Amino acid sequence: MAIIDTEAALHEAHRDNHTHRDVNGGWLRPAVFGAMDGLVSNLALMTGVAGGTAGREAVVVAGLAGLAAGAFSMAAGEYTSVASQRELVQAELDVERRELRKHPKDEEQELAALYESRGVQPGLAREVARQLSRDPEQALEIHAREELGVDPGDLPSPVVAAVSSFGSFALGALLPVLPYLLGASALWPAVLVALAGLFGCGAVVARVTARTWWFSGLRQLALGGAAAGVTYALGSLFGAAV
């Protein structure tokens, strides 16, 4: 009896603790992309300006201008992108809602056929579809998940995406400018801080993905370093030509 009670308790504890992270909230992708883009693009911009033999003031102005322009651009782009996606999903949900209202039996049969195709016995599939279709909102949610792959109650927010993108881009873009604002006059402190930030961002991203922290960190470090090196070389080339 004690063993049975212990197994039941462990099963109950596992069920209570079995939760998943939000993978469709609309904040992770723009936040990660914004931070990486802010670091890489502003570092590349500043190294390009510095490579053109510009003075400290020009590099700082370029970095601050890149921060502001990039943050607003990212926020506007993310808002428009997510809003357009959300509007498209809402339009498709309206189509599905009309079909459920005009042809409820056809939609019920469609749902039953879907369950049958997944291995459910025909009689059970029809009964499950019948019971689930009694509530129009529940039926809409199920059809949306099965046919569109979306949850009507958990659509990404354009505002959340825009704010996440703006803040993360600004934070990432600030890192290469920070050494200059603190008094540095050479480029190398900004490069070191930015590369450390890239590695750190990659390592943090690995906490919510299946990658190891060192692989994700080194990948971002290599990509950002390559972008900075190329733009520095181009800046030197253009500076010499001008």
Side-chain angles (χ1 to χ4, degrees):
M1 178 66 70
I3 295 177
I4 295 177
D5 291 342
T6 301
E7 291 179 348
L10 290 174
H11 176 73
E12 185 67 23
H14 173 74
R15 186 179 66 180
D16 291 341
N17 294 328
H18 186 67
T19 59
H20 293 282
R21 292 166 295 195
D22 179 16
V23 298
N24 194 36
W27 65 270
L28 181 60
R29 183 188 65 85
V32 172
F33 181 65
M36 298 298 181
D37 192 26
L39 269 166
V40 174
S41 64
N42 220 29
L43 175 61
L45 173 64
M46 292 173 62
T47 53
V49 174
T53 66
R56 175 183 180 276
E57 292 77 11
V59 176
V60 173
V61 170
L64 293 176
L67 185 157
F72 282 109
S73 176
M74 284 287 295
E78 281 294 333
Y79 184 91
T80 302
S81 175
V82 175
S84 299
Q85 179 188 7
R86 187 184 180 96
E87 290 163 3
L88 174 61
V89 172
Q90 293 287 8
E92 292 301 314
L93 289 176
D94 289 341
V95 171
E96 192 65 35
R97 188 178 286 108
R98 287 195 299 269
E99 289 298 314
L100 285 168
R101 186 175 62 252
K102 293 180 179 178
H103 309 289
K105 289 299 181 182
D106 292 341
E107 292 296 311
E108 182 180 320
Q109 293 174 5
E110 181 181 323
L111 191 59
L114 176 64
Y115 290 141
E116 286 184 44
S117 69
R118 296 186 176 180
V120 180
Q121 295 180 354
L124 180 58
R126 288 192 296 271
E127 178 61 19
V128 170
R130 184 188 68 80
Q131 292 189 29
L132 293 177
S133 299
R134 288 183 298 188
D135 182 354
E137 288 304 314
Q138 178 178 254
L140 175 64
E141 181 178 333
I142 294 171
H143 279 275
R145 287 178 174 175
E146 298 293 347
E147 298 177 25
L148 302 176
V150 298
D151 184 351
D154 191 29
L155 298 180
S157 167
V159 175
V160 170
V163 172
S164 299
S165 181
F166 182 93
S168 60
F169 186 98
L171 181 60
L174 178 63
L175 287 182
V177 188
L178 198 56
Y180 281 100
L181 297 179
L182 294 177
S185 57
L187 179 63
W188 65 265
V191 173
L192 289 180
V193 170
L195 293 180
L198 283 169
F199 184 86
C201 284
V204 169
V205 169
R207 297 295 300 272
V208 294
T209 65
R211 291 290 188 182
T212 58
W213 64 270
W214 57 266
F215 176 87
S216 183
L218 288 176
R219 179 176 59 183
Q220 298 304 326
L221 178 63
L223 292 173
V230 170
T231 52
Y232 184 85
L234 292 174
S236 299
L237 180 63
F238 296 153
V242 173

